Amino acid sequence: MKMKKMKKLIILLTITFLCVPGFISAEEGKKLAQKNGCFACHSIKLRVLGPSFKEISAKYRISEATKRNLMGKIKNGGSGNWGDIPMISHPKITEKDLGLMVEWILNLDR
Ligand code: HEC
């Protein structure tokens, strides 16, 4: 193989490698939301009982504080930010899973 082709191939492989982890963790967040029944009240684009995940993503800036705040809301339940309907608490979801779901949600509107 010629040197130039080789270089191209290496660059391509590096890009693929860099993109895959982000993709996997995003997919994992979505799967966890499905598994935990979030879609009973939320959808990605449309308002159901709760705000759409895209709306939530558009409302907040991505930061560690936002992430913590939303993880707490999901875990303990919350109300008053979007309307009168409260969100039920989800005390059994682990911190790791909460984090993955919040990251997935916050990145939907970027
Ligand atoms: C019983 C219905 C219901 C279920 C199930 C539910 N939600 Fe919610 N969710 C709501 C409602 C209603 C709100 C708006 C609460 C408010 O006004 O503060 C909300 C708000 C949110 C918010 C934004 C909180 C804020 O303060 O802006 C996030 C993030 C969220 N939900 C994620 C989830 C995730 C992840 C799950 C699954 C583990 C989930 N929700 C399951 C009804 C639900």
Side-chain angles (χ1 to χ4, degrees):
M1 205 188 286
K2 285 210 185 104
M3 219 32 205
K4 233 180 169 175
K5 261 194 175 166
M6 188 88 160
K7 257 191 194 157
K8 263 193 190 156
L9 193 70
I10 290 172
I11 292 171
L12 218 82
L13 280 176
T14 314
I15 293 172
T16 314
F17 234 36
L18 290 175
C19 293
V20 163
F23 182 70
I24 290 176
S25 83
E27 282 305 294
E28 206 176 333
K30 187 177 178 182
K31 272 197 200 127
L32 284 166
Q34 281 162 342
K35 193 184 101 185
N36 288 300
C38 313
F39 286 106
C41 300
H42 294 280
S43 99
I44 293 182
K45 288 187 186 151
L46 298 173
R47 194 173 272 239
V48 191
L49 257 182
S52 77
F53 285 141
K54 278 214 166 192
E55 275 181 284
I56 298 172
S57 170
K59 177 174 175 174
Y60 296 104
R61 280 195 314 141
I62 294 185
S63 74
E64 197 53 34
T66 306
K67 192 178 151 188
R68 288 269 142 218
N69 173 36
L70 293 180
M71 284 167 69
K73 289 274 174 64
I74 300 167
K75 186 165 190 166
N76 304 314
S79 64
N81 286 309
W82 297 89
D84 296 330
I85 310 167
M87 169 156 64
I88 52 166
S89 65
H90 299 86
K92 291 205 181 118
I93 304 177
T94 63
E95 291 291 302
K96 180 174 171 245
D97 287 2
L98 286 170
L100 283 168
M101 285 192 291
V102 168
E103 266 167 30
W104 169 67
I105 294 168
L106 287 177
N107 279 296
L108 284 172
D109 198 55
R110 310 296 145 177

